[in-house]
Amino acid sequence: MVVPRCHRPMGEVPSHRIPGLVPIASPAEAGCYLPTASPMEAGHSPARPWPWGPATGPTAFRRDTLSLGSASPASRSSHHHSAPQGTTLSVETGSSFPQLGMHQPLEPPGQQPPGYGKCSPVGSDAGKAAECGAGSGGSGGIGKGPVTCSAVCANPYAGLVNHLRAAWLSGKTRPVEYRVAQLEALGRFLDEKKEDILEATASDMGKPSFEAYFTEILLCKNEINGTLNNLSHWMKDEHVDKNLVTQLDSAFIRKDPYGVVLIIAPWNYPIHLFLVPLIGAIAAGNCVVFKPSEVAKNTERLVAEMLTCYLDNDCFAVVTAGVQETTRLLENKFDYIFYTGSSSVGKIVMAATAKHLTPVTLELGGKNPCYVSDTCDVQNVARRVAWGRFFNAGQTCIAPDYVLCSVEMQEKLMPALREAITEFYGPNPQESPDFGRIVGDKHFRRLRALLCSGRVAIGGQTDEKERYIAPTVLADVLPSDPAMQEEIFGPILPIVVVANMDEAIDFINARPRPLAIYAFSCDSKVVNQVLERTSSGSFCGNDTLMHVTLTSLPFGGIGNSGLGKYHGRFTFDTFTHHRGCLHRNMGLEALNALRYPPYSQQKLGLLAATFEIKRKGMCTLL
């Protein structure tokens, strides 16, 4: 199925078919132009530095009806094992693609479409072969002239990536005016497509419109507005301290974009979790390929069909891809990759980036503990924990995954949690418009199997046809129970009994470091003890989830829960290369004589005096 292309004043763009993919707007006449080394080397004018001009860039790719193989994905809890080259990798992601790897190699297409395949140079270099997939590694594809594809292409995304790289090399994305215009366009997308977003997220996972507006629209608009308010300041050179020798020179940090970056988003917050990193990538001056989750099908379709009508298609492209296509996409050389999903697939993504030494941010997950001390307001704790656990039907990477408390507190929490659940969702949550559904059948069956852990104290009802699992609390759960062996990612809250705070802290520290830790107590010393004696991506005392609403706080994991951080200024910094620069004066050469041979003890003494950094508070007696 070909997605209707956005009609733009730039004119019609011919569309060419790639096996398994349908481009919304593909390169004209040849599907895989490779850029020259730079606009200057190519000899083109700055206004039109590349042969195909500004109107022929691929906009978005969608999966065609062509079958690329099918296999049942492994369970979310399956572990990833390294495999030799050519071995199938099959792991559950819990996010944007259920498996990463191919069960069978992609066969060359029976009928080769125009512009798809190996590249043969044109012009002065005719007759010399070049691989279309050169864009996926090293300096390949950066030659002395344009090349065009004619046979079986090494990688179906090489032309797309190279086209965006050409746009980036032209310097188009660097001016602040351009970045502001693209960010404002994202704001218009959220405003004008608000109802479409609410409808798509409701269709995909029964997400209540209140939750969808709050997370997918309001928080994203906050990110856009905060970035627009501060972008000029963030982009400025940052001048730094200098030693005595360089006092007359200019030393500064230049905020450079990385280049062409890839963003892979999950399904649980399908707009928010690709748009927030996209905002920072645009603000930093990058070109971007972004892949929404194919699990949230309606939202994926909305992004592919609508968002491309707001952004510059020369610099930003949507790829709608499944397992095999994403594997091929990752083979290309990107300058930065931002992935949100499970730890198992995060390892595979990181292995793919290692091939090109590409920097990466991994926003993963984990089992987020929630310690409740004996000295707290039980009703408030119950409401805040229930809200954090059952928001989005529990499908939130930072939701409290389990509660640690004493036996006495467990007995107090049960009626308070039951009361909070009834207050939020009524006597029958299945009939509540404010409680969502599980995203897919596979996820539903996995969650249903976890209900055997401990004993069901609250809820436990399921309806496979609706993919409904009631807000459930499990009591007396043992560390060896199934619910404690994997991230739950659903509306199930186990309670594990501990004797005291020290035992709770030992329990937390004995496990991989989570994305978030929560602690509840009326005694701030208890909250601070949990904060100081544990390690996690983030921490929130006496509430859940609320720390991610602050763009002033970094959000990210540590260890198994992730690598890197974003939100607000931190997203801009993530997609920015902080380039150390020193611009020296061409004169005053006598000042440099101290470092030139022939060396002497006198020169060394003077050199130490001019270059040395002394500790503050120390004085030297002359």
Side-chain angles (χ1 to χ4, degrees), residues 40 43 104 113 167 195 206 269 271 294 355 358 377 428 461 509 578:
M40 292 302 185
Q104 56 186 14
E195 295 303 324
Y269 293 92
I271 297 292
E294 78 280 6
K355 178 181 178 182
T358 300
D377 187 317
N428 184 6
Q461 299 83 8
N509 290 337
H578 291 69

Side-chain angles (χ1 to χ4, degrees), residues 103-338:
H103 287 272
Q104 56 186 14
L106 289 174
E107 296 295 334
Q111 295 181 348
Q112 298 165 6
Y116 178 81
K118 292 181 180 178
C119 303
S120 56
V122 294
S124 61
D125 292 331
K128 296 180 181 179
E131 290 295 326
C132 178
S136 62
S139 59
I142 309 298
K144 295 183 179 180
V147 292
T148 182
C149 305
S150 58
V152 180
C153 188
N155 189 291
Y157 298 102
L160 172 66
V161 175
N162 279 288
H163 179 80
L164 265 64
R165 192 173 304 283
W168 181 76
L169 287 171
S170 75
K172 185 177 184 180
T173 62
R174 286 182 178 261
V176 64
E177 296 81 6
Y178 178 87
R179 306 183 196 190
V180 167
Q182 298 302 303
L183 292 172
E184 289 176 341
L186 288 182
R188 290 195 301 274
F189 165 73
L190 291 174
D191 289 333
E192 296 171 9
K193 301 303 177 184
K194 168 187 169 183
E195 295 303 324
D196 299 281
I197 291 171
L198 299 181
E199 181 180 343
T201 53
S203 299
D204 285 328
M205 51 198 306
K207 185 172 291 194
S209 60
F210 182 97
E211 295 182 2
Y213 179 81
F214 178 46
T215 57
E216 312 286 12
I217 297 176
L218 179 60
L219 292 182
C220 290
K221 290 180 70 174
N222 288 349
E223 289 279 351
I224 293 172
N225 292 335
T227 300
L228 288 171
N229 291 341
N230 295 282
L231 182 56
S232 295
H233 173 68
W234 295 347
M235 289 176 60
K236 286 182 180 178
D237 290 344
E238 182 181 337
H239 292 274
V240 298
D241 294 337
K242 295 174 287 187
N243 55 32
L244 187 61
V245 176
T246 57
Q247 284 300 307
L248 300 178
D249 305 320
S250 178
F252 57 94
I253 300 170
R254 172 62 52 87
K255 313 297 177 57
D256 275 351
Y258 272 105
V260 180
V261 305
L262 171 65
I263 296 172
I264 301 176
W267 51 261
N268 56 328
Y269 293 92
I271 297 292
H272 181 101
L273 291 179
F274 93 82
L275 206 56
V276 173
L278 176 62
I279 291 165
I282 291 174
N286 299 282
C287 289
V288 186
V289 176
F290 46 100
K291 195 202 88 65
S293 170
E294 78 280 6
V295 176
K297 299 182 184 301
N298 294 285
T299 311
E300 178 195 45
R301 186 181 304 112
L302 170 69
V303 171
E305 295 179 6
M306 300 296 183
L307 185 57
T308 53
C309 297
Y310 289 83
L311 296 177
D312 180 355
N313 295 336
D314 277 341
C315 301
F316 308 103
V318 180
V319 172
T320 61
V323 179
Q324 297 178 349
E325 298 98 330
T326 303
T327 304
R328 302 305 306 277
L329 181 63
L330 284 168
E331 293 171 2
N332 291 278
K333 177 175 175 56
F334 291 95
D335 300 302
Y336 202 99
I337 294 179
F338 191 107

Side-chain angles (χ1 to χ4, degrees), residues 76 92-96 264 266 268 273 338-350 360-368 396-399 487 489 513-516 537-538 555-566:
R76 183 178 177 82
E92 163 61 22
T93 72
S95 61
S96 57
I264 301 176
N268 56 328
L273 291 179
F338 191 107
Y339 167 77
T340 304
S342 70
S343 299
S344 56
V345 175
K347 295 175 183 178
I348 300 173
V349 171
M350 196 165 186
V360 61
T361 289
L362 302 175
E363 293 296 337
L364 309 177
K367 295 187 70 63
N368 307 311
T396 305
C397 61
I398 55 167
E487 182 181 3
F489 223 69
R513 289 180 283 186
L515 192 56
S538 56
F555 176 76
I558 182 172
N560 274 27
S561 60
L563 173 69
K565 57 187 179 296
Y566 73 124

